[in-house]
Amino acid sequence: RHNTTMSGKTALVIIDFQNDFITGSLKVPGAEEITQVINGLRNKNFDYVVLSLDWHPQNHISFASNHPGKNPFEFTEVSYGKQILWPDHCVIDSQGAQLHKDLKTKESDKIVKKGFNPKIDSYSCFLDNDRKEKTEMDKLLKDLGVTDIYVCGKQSILHCFIAIDFDFRIGL
């Protein structure tokens, strides 16, 4: 166990450590350099490891390519508010959507895919951005009896981690 004083179970949640975020269309500077740190965390004896994956259809609302006249990193209004437009990334079953080759994985790892609804983006691995639709993360962690999560990943976009922390704390 990671912390023997806890009565519940622990999970290491690795956020979106996928090719498009490490070396691809939305490369986060320095992301490759933290691979070994994340791999080292796996040795901390968590009860579970959960991998969150961005998993978008080609017609996803967040892709600038689906908004004629718009460019990546511009904003547009959608049903749930302002949406930043991204370059196409983590398209379902693409090389960019695959986990980075240097990330250690095990067959026992759990995988939660998010962002596959073409009409709603999903920064949090708990809720889509409309704050109405849940991902599978909440149910999975509850079913496993997880009470404490430890989050890591490549994300330089702080709002992704803030959304995850808030969504877990309110006990969706």
Side-chain angles (χ1 to χ4, degrees), residues 104-121:
K104 290 182 182 175
T105 60
K106 296 181 181 178
E107 283 188 36
S108 60
D109 291 349
K110 312 296 182 193
I111 294 178
V112 172
K113 296 174 180 174
K114 63 184 181 63
F116 50 82
N117 181 336
K119 296 179 181 180
I120 306 171
D121 207 0

Side-chain angles (χ1 to χ4, degrees), residues 76-140:
T76 193
E77 283 294 324
V78 296
S79 64
Y80 51 86
K82 273 191 174 183
Q83 171 66 53
I84 190 166
L85 298 176
W86 305 107
D88 292 12
H89 65 281
C90 299
V91 174
I92 294 171
D93 293 326
S94 70
Q95 180 62 30
Q98 301 308 307
L99 290 166
H100 189 265
K101 65 181 174 53
D102 294 333
L103 180 68
K104 290 182 182 175
T105 60
K106 296 181 181 178
E107 283 188 36
S108 60
D109 291 349
K110 312 296 182 193
I111 294 178
V112 172
K113 296 174 180 174
K114 63 184 181 63
F116 50 82
N117 181 336
K119 296 179 181 180
I120 306 171
D121 207 0
S122 189
Y123 296 142
S124 168
C125 59
F126 286 93
L127 281 175
D128 287 339
N129 285 5
D130 68 355
R131 312 299 296 162
K132 297 175 187 170
E133 302 295 323
K134 290 183 182 182
T135 70
E136 298 171 10
M137 184 67 77
D138 180 63
K139 181 178 181 342
L140 173 68

Side-chain angles (χ1 to χ4, degrees), residues 12-74:
L12 175 64
V13 178
I14 303 172
I15 304 296
D16 302 352
F17 212 77
Q18 295 162 269
N19 290 328
D20 274 343
F21 294 122
I22 311 305
T23 58
S25 63
L26 273 174
K27 179 180 178 176
V28 174
E32 278 186 290
E33 298 163 14
I34 66 166
T35 307
Q36 294 309 315
V37 173
I38 293 173
N39 287 338
L41 288 172
R42 295 190 63 102
N43 298 326
K44 299 296 182 189
N45 205 22
F46 292 97
D47 294 301
Y48 301 100
V49 173
V50 183
L51 304 166
S52 164
L53 299 181
D54 236 19
W55 201 250
H56 300 308
Q58 187 62 57
N59 64 338
H60 198 261
I61 197 167
S62 74
F63 293 170
S65 65
N66 293 321
H67 298 269
K70 294 283 191 175
N71 296 305
F73 310 108
E74 292 180 354

